[in-house]
């Protein structure tokens, strides 16, 4: 590892209203420019103030051509879909959903015992050859996600490998790294990230020094190319999601919950929805 990845961009998440009135922090959203390839969207949902009123969710909606990765830290999300799957994504759980050619699903957040709901949703693009594949779910329970602990460092390894420890989510087209990283004050950590891969850090608690630059929560850091990242802490701890993956390098046409490669494919998705042939 000789080529340190510097910070190329620091993104301030913007508040966005989604679903049936869910307020969330959005850092990236699908755009035709596809500048975060293979990643399309990163949302942080947090409900922690009773004044926010009743919790709304995401009633039945379609997806095609993407993967959605839901990671819950507190509270839960009730999930139900057109294929007959249903379940609860609870604290520490991950749901990695490959929509493939199409699913219709409902995602309804529920407060945990402390009254809080807190989690993330990441959208990952699918290569053209998998966009019309069979939908697939991986329900990853908290207990099956290994935790790497060493000298002030605590990492939940969802996907990818940390110092020989590999997460349970494998066989994903973008060969992603998806880590929940906590670093105590006055510590340092280095992680290899394959050259050419897109790399992001969503800093959601505390502050850390990434490649020599201090980043306070809440921010999305985008790294320039290189073969490793470093993070250092001073007086405060830091917690962030580390996200990386291989770019797919194909044109995309995003349209709401669909991300396809051409306008004709988007039109087809709308026709399939209208004709009731979206889900097979
Ligand atoms: Fe959804």
């Amino acid at each position: 590892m000789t080529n340190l990845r510097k910070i190329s961009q620091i993104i301030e998440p913007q508040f966005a209203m989604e679903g049936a009135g869910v307020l969330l922090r959005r850092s990236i959203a699908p755009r035709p420019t596809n500048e975060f390839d293979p990643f399309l969207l990163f949302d942080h949902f947090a409900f922690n103030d009773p004044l926010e009123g009743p919790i709304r969710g995401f009633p039945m909606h379609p997806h095609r051509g993407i993967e959605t990765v839901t990671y819950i830290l507190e509270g839960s999300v009730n999930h139900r879909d057109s294929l007959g799957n249903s379940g609860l994504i609870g604290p520490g759980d991950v749901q990695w959903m490959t929509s493939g050619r199409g699913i219709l699903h409902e995602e309804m957040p529920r407060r945990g015992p402390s009254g809080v709901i807190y989690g993330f949703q990441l959208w990952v693009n699918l290569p053209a050859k998998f966009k019309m594949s069979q939908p697939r779910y991986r329900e990853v329970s908290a207990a099956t996600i290994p935790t790497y602990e060493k000298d002030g460092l605590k990492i939940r390894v969802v996907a990818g490998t940390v110092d020989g420890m590999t997460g349970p989510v494998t066989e994903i087209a973008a060969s992603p790294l998806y880590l929940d990283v906590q670093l105590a004050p006055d510590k340092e950590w280095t992680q290899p990230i394959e050259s050419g891969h897109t790399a992001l850090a969503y800093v959601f608690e505390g502050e850390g020094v990434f490649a020599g630059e201090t980043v306070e929560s809440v921010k999305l850091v985008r790294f320039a190319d290189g073969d490793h990242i470093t993070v250092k802490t001073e007086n405060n701890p830091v917690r962030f999601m580390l996200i990386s993956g291989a770019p797919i390098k194909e044109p995309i046409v995003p349209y709401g919950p669909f991300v396809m490669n051409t306008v004709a494919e988007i039109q087809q998705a709308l026709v399939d929805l209208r004709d009731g042939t979206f889900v097979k």
Side-chain angles (χ1 to χ4, degrees):
M1 295 191 295
T2 54
N3 190 5
L4 176 66
R5 284 173 176 261
K6 299 208 166 70
I7 291 179
S8 69
Q9 193 182 1
I10 297 176
I11 295 167
E12 180 100 37
Q14 301 295 312
F15 282 102
M17 198 66 97
E18 272 297 331
V22 180
L23 186 65
L24 41 81
R25 281 192 170 108
R26 173 160 294 166
S27 301
I28 61 174
R31 283 203 195 92
T33 46
N34 202 12
E35 55 188 311
F36 300 94
D37 185 12
F39 304 111
L40 298 163
L41 172 141
F42 191 81
D43 278 348
H44 172 183
F45 45 94
F47 305 87
N48 47 19
D49 183 345
L51 293 176
E52 284 173 89
I55 288 166
R56 302 171 183 97
F58 305 90
M60 268 309 163
H61 59 278
H63 288 290
R64 175 175 282 180
I66 61 167
E67 298 184 297
T68 67
V69 185
T70 308
Y71 179 35
I72 305 296
L73 294 169
E74 282 190 67
S76 59
V77 169
N78 255 319
H79 166 267
R80 184 164 78 84
D81 76 23
S82 54
L83 306 170
N85 301 300
S86 66
L88 193 73
I89 314 169
D93 294 345
V94 170
Q95 182 200 62
W96 201 293
M97 183 202 72
T98 305
S99 78
R101 69 173 316 283
I103 64 128
L104 288 157
H105 75 168
E106 180 186 87
E107 300 160 287
M108 303 305 274
R110 300 277 179 271
R111 288 186 201 278
S114 64
V116 172
I117 302 169
Y118 197 39
F120 307 109
Q121 191 168 78
L122 171 72
W123 290 12
V124 189
N125 194 23
L126 281 171
K129 63 179 176 189
F130 294 133
K131 281 198 182 286
M132 295 299 279
S133 61
Q134 283 299 317
R136 174 159 83 143
Y137 281 89
R138 264 149 297 184
E139 306 283 352
V140 188
S141 68
T144 63
I145 299 175
T147 301
Y148 179 87
E149 279 187 89
K150 191 179 180 180
D151 190 29
L153 180 65
K154 186 176 170 188
I155 305 175
R156 299 193 74 226
V157 186
V158 176
T161 300
V162 174
D163 196 13
M165 183 182 279
T166 298
V169 180
T170 53
E171 296 167 48
I172 302 280
S175 50
L177 184 69
Y178 197 49
L179 310 174
D180 172 359
V181 183
Q182 291 175 267
L183 190 63
D186 201 24
K187 299 288 177 192
E188 191 167 358
W189 178 55
T190 296
Q191 167 71 19
I193 295 182
E194 205 162 317
S195 293
H197 284 202
T198 300
L200 308 168
Y202 187 73
V203 182
F204 61 98
E205 284 173 21
E207 62 176 46
V209 182
F210 294 80
E213 202 173 326
T214 301
V215 179
E216 287 172 27
S217 55
V218 178
K219 299 278 192 303
L220 181 76
V221 171
R222 178 193 193 160
F223 295 98
D225 203 10
D227 58 14
H228 68 285
I229 64 148
T230 60
V231 54
K232 222 167 68 177
T233 46
E234 289 166 348
N235 299 325
N236 296 308
V238 69
R239 186 170 187 185
F240 59 98
M241 301 302 297
L242 183 63
I243 306 161
S244 83
I248 295 167
K249 298 179 180 165
E250 291 172 350
I252 62 165
V253 180
Y255 185 85
F258 313 131
V259 180
M260 302 302 288
N261 301 108
T262 66
V263 172
E265 288 166 349
I266 293 293
Q267 285 164 343
Q268 188 61 50
L270 294 169
V271 167
D272 289 350
L273 261 187
R274 190 190 63 203
D275 294 350
T277 56
F278 186 79
V279 176
K280 277 191 182 140

